[in-house]
Amino acid sequence: MAWMDKHNLTMLNEFILMGITDLPEFQAPLFGLFLIVYMVSAVGNLGLIFLTKIDSRLQTPMYFFLRHLALTDLGYSTAVGPKMLANLAVNQHAISYNWCATQLTFFGIFITCELYILPAMAYDRYVAICNPLLYTVIMSQRLCHLLVAVPYLYSVFLSLLVNIKIFTSSFCGYNVIRHFYCDILPLISLLCSDTHDIKLIILISSAVNIVSSLLIVLVSYILILVATLRMNSSKGRHKAFSTCGSHLTVIVIFYGTLLSMYLWPKSSHLFDTDTIASLFYTLVIPMLNPLIYSLRNKEVKNALTRTWSMCANILLKFHCNIH
């Protein structure tokens, strides 16, 4: 293809995204599939944000963190999803230089933030099960806000640092990104200037983010497991496990997908493993999280029923007033 030829330029106005596949017969089915996935994800996460905000019985630390998990899911899936769908719909692979920088910035902010929202939720479950009498004292409103504010501020700082480093460097002129969105590593491969500092920042920050967050989750759940096994009541053990079930499912899916990207061998098949894993954590996981919390959580299901009834009553009264 003409746009894949390398040119001796350093200033780029746009990039070309290779996309999920270059086979035309797959474009329409993939568009239909991922449109459904994205719409379910957007509606589910917006619904969780709305539900945990307005329902009086969901005003607890657990649902405060769940609201921010839904916000981060919605954030990074929206940073990637609409542009990917537009590319599939019109077979247009170009993305402007500024939009590429914007997409990468917001994706980085929300995905990094989620890495620390999940450990905060694990710590919340640890306190609820291991220190139930002190739960309201320990998980104060101030601590909850702090456990959310720090990840947001850190994520913004880290994302801006990396992106400023990348987009103030010189590109060789070869503008083809071998991905379906503007991701860090494919962009770095296009740089002509020295990338040692950028790669070092990414390596250290990625290691710190994944290891520290996963360590907090593992320690929290080991302590929860020990405390649960010491309970004399089988009913108490069942309740403890059921309160952690949804979060544990989300944890396994999220970290399992991230780790698989590093452990899976490279593939030469139609859809390589990196693309499949990227699709899974950018679009599928944000769709699964609200479904998991809705289907497995009795309080969320009850809140959904109450809200639906309230909305139905409002619409009925509005209809009666008109007539």
Side-chain angles (χ1 to χ4, degrees):
M1 295 181 185
W3 45 261
M4 291 185 69
D5 294 328
K6 291 192 178 184
H7 302 287
N8 188 23
L9 301 171
T10 55
M11 292 298 294
L12 297 175
N13 294 320
E14 66 178 20
F15 294 98
I16 304 297
L17 297 169
M18 289 286 285
I20 302 169
T21 177
D22 57 357
L23 298 175
E25 61 267 28
F26 283 96
Q27 303 282 349
L30 287 173
F31 173 78
L33 173 64
F34 290 117
L35 178 63
I36 294 169
V37 169
Y38 177 71
M39 291 303 294
V40 172
S41 171
V43 171
N45 284 299
L46 283 170
L48 264 184
I49 293 167
F50 177 73
L51 204 62
T52 55
K53 189 70 177 175
I54 66 161
D55 195 281
S56 59
R57 299 185 193 181
L58 300 183
Q59 304 307 306
T60 63
M62 176 181 171
Y63 295 106
F64 172 78
F65 292 125
L66 179 57
R67 181 160 65 246
H68 285 278
L69 178 68
L71 181 61
T72 55
D73 281 338
L74 182 65
Y76 70 76
S77 62
T78 301
V80 172
K83 179 59 182 172
M84 187 198 76
L85 289 169
N87 290 350
L88 286 170
V90 298
N91 199 24
Q92 172 58 259
H93 294 273
I95 183 170
S96 71
Y97 184 90
N98 290 334
W99 178 245
C100 183
T102 304
Q103 185 185 61
L104 182 58
T105 300
F106 280 100
F107 180 79
I109 289 170
F110 287 113
I111 199 73
T112 304
C113 196
E114 181 150 326
L115 275 168
Y116 289 98
I117 296 291
L118 290 171
M121 295 176 78
Y123 177 71
D124 170 70
R125 292 299 83 207
Y126 156 72
V127 176
I129 292 169
C130 299
N131 295 287
L133 298 177
L134 297 174
Y135 178 70
T136 54
V137 177
I138 296 172
M139 298 305 297
S140 63
Q141 192 177 50
R142 183 178 178 181
L143 179 62
C144 290
H145 283 106
L146 188 66
L147 289 174
V148 165
V150 171
Y152 277 120
L153 292 173
Y154 167 72
S155 301
V156 170
F157 168 76
L158 183 60
S159 185
L160 288 176
L161 174 66
V162 172
N163 282 285
I164 289 170
K165 278 279 190 182
I166 290 173
F167 288 96
T168 54
S169 300
S170 299
F171 288 90
C172 297
Y174 183 57
N175 66 341
V176 179
I177 298 174
R178 298 186 178 279
H179 215 333
F180 60 91
Y181 69 96
C182 288
D183 200 9
I184 291 176
L185 295 181
L187 274 170
I188 289 175
S189 68
L190 305 181
L191 295 177
C192 277
S193 52
D194 182 30
T195 59
H196 177 265
D197 289 347
I198 301 173
K199 288 180 177 177
L200 189 62
I201 291 169
I202 293 168
L203 179 65
I204 294 171
S205 61
S206 298
V208 169
N209 291 341
I210 294 174
V211 172
S212 62
S213 62
L214 190 55
L215 191 62
I216 294 168
V217 169
L218 288 174
V219 170
S220 297
Y221 273 104
I222 288 169
L223 293 174
I224 287 170
L225 181 62
V226 171
T228 304
L229 293 175
R230 286 177 178 173
M231 292 179 181
N232 295 322
S233 167
S234 59
K235 187 178 179 181
R237 284 196 296 271
H238 180 265
K239 186 179 179 181
F241 283 126
S242 64
T243 57
C244 297
S246 299
H247 182 249
L248 198 54
T249 305
V250 169
I251 287 285
V252 170
I253 294 171
F254 184 78
Y255 284 101
T257 305
L258 282 181
L259 292 174
S260 70
M261 293 183 69
Y262 297 98
L263 299 177
W264 277 357
K266 299 293 180 183
S267 172
S268 58
H269 294 117
L270 180 63
F271 301 109
D272 63 52
T273 52
D274 283 349
T275 300
I276 294 170
S278 296
L279 282 168
F280 200 79
Y281 80 77
T282 55
L283 291 174
V284 179
I285 287 178
M287 177 193 70
L288 291 178
N289 287 353
L291 292 177
I292 290 167
Y293 276 100
S294 299
L295 298 174
R296 293 179 60 90
N297 191 301
K298 192 177 290 184
E299 289 180 332
V300 172
K301 285 193 284 187
N302 291 339
L304 189 60
T305 303
R306 287 193 299 271
T307 305
W308 181 258
S309 300
M310 182 182 71
C311 292
N313 288 332
I314 292 170
L315 288 173
L316 185 62
K317 288 178 182 177
F318 180 73
H319 179 74
C320 291
N321 289 335
I322 291 175
H323 297 281

